[in-house]
Amino acid sequence: MKTLTITDAKKNLGRWLTAAVRGEDIGIICGSDIVALRKVNVESTDYARREYGATPEQVAALEKATGRRRRSIKRTKELDRLYIEAHKARPENLDWAESSVKLLSKRLPKEKW
């Protein structure tokens, strides 16, 4: 196991995270303890249960409601409006803007956006 001080870990955090993802044993010394840095798999249902105390039934209901809302938005063209608002709010994000412009140019006349 490679052990690091907190300062050393902070200096090259990306490097140590990458090493941990590859399966290397990385430990960070915190007082008299060593804390392991390891990759974990998180499922959305697990995350919702741990973070919010949601039951599997509540997560399933949310997924169903979200799917219905997305389909409704898509049908009413509200999705186009949401894309436009998001693009106006974050024009510096060029990758997102480029894909949005391609989508919008197919669906809306240019004067509307």
Side-chain angles (χ1 to χ4, degrees):
M1 174 184 279
K2 174 70 176 169
T3 55
L4 308 161
T5 65
I6 292 173
T7 303
D8 289 338
K10 284 170 48 175
K11 284 181 188 174
N12 294 301
L13 185 58
R15 174 182 171 197
W16 302 120
L17 288 171
T18 302
V21 168
R22 285 193 312 258
E24 295 180 34
D25 286 331
I26 308 294
I28 301 172
I29 301 167
C30 183
S32 61
D33 297 319
I34 297 177
V35 179
L37 186 60
R38 290 198 179 92
K39 178 182 173 183
V40 295
N41 293 322
V42 179
E43 294 181 23
S44 61
T45 54
D46 180 47
Y47 179 80
R49 180 184 53 79
R50 284 187 298 113
E51 292 293 317
Y52 303 109
T55 65
E57 294 81 19
Q58 289 172 321
V59 172
L62 177 62
E63 288 173 348
K64 189 174 180 179
T66 302
R68 280 194 311 264
R69 176 73 176 133
R70 185 183 170 281
R71 286 188 296 279
S72 170
I73 287 172
K74 196 172 179 181
R75 272 195 310 274
T76 63
K77 306 264 190 223
E78 185 179 351
L79 192 58
D80 293 335
R81 183 186 60 76
L82 294 173
Y83 274 125
I84 292 167
E85 287 177 8
H87 175 67
K88 287 179 181 174
R90 299 198 58 195
E92 71 281 358
N93 188 339
L94 298 178
D95 292 335
W96 188 91
E98 183 179 328
S99 61
S100 298
V101 167
K102 286 178 184 175
L103 175 69
L104 291 172
S105 64
K106 291 178 184 176
R107 302 182 99 193
L108 294 172
K110 189 164 185 144
E111 57 274 0
K112 289 215 175 185
W113 50 281

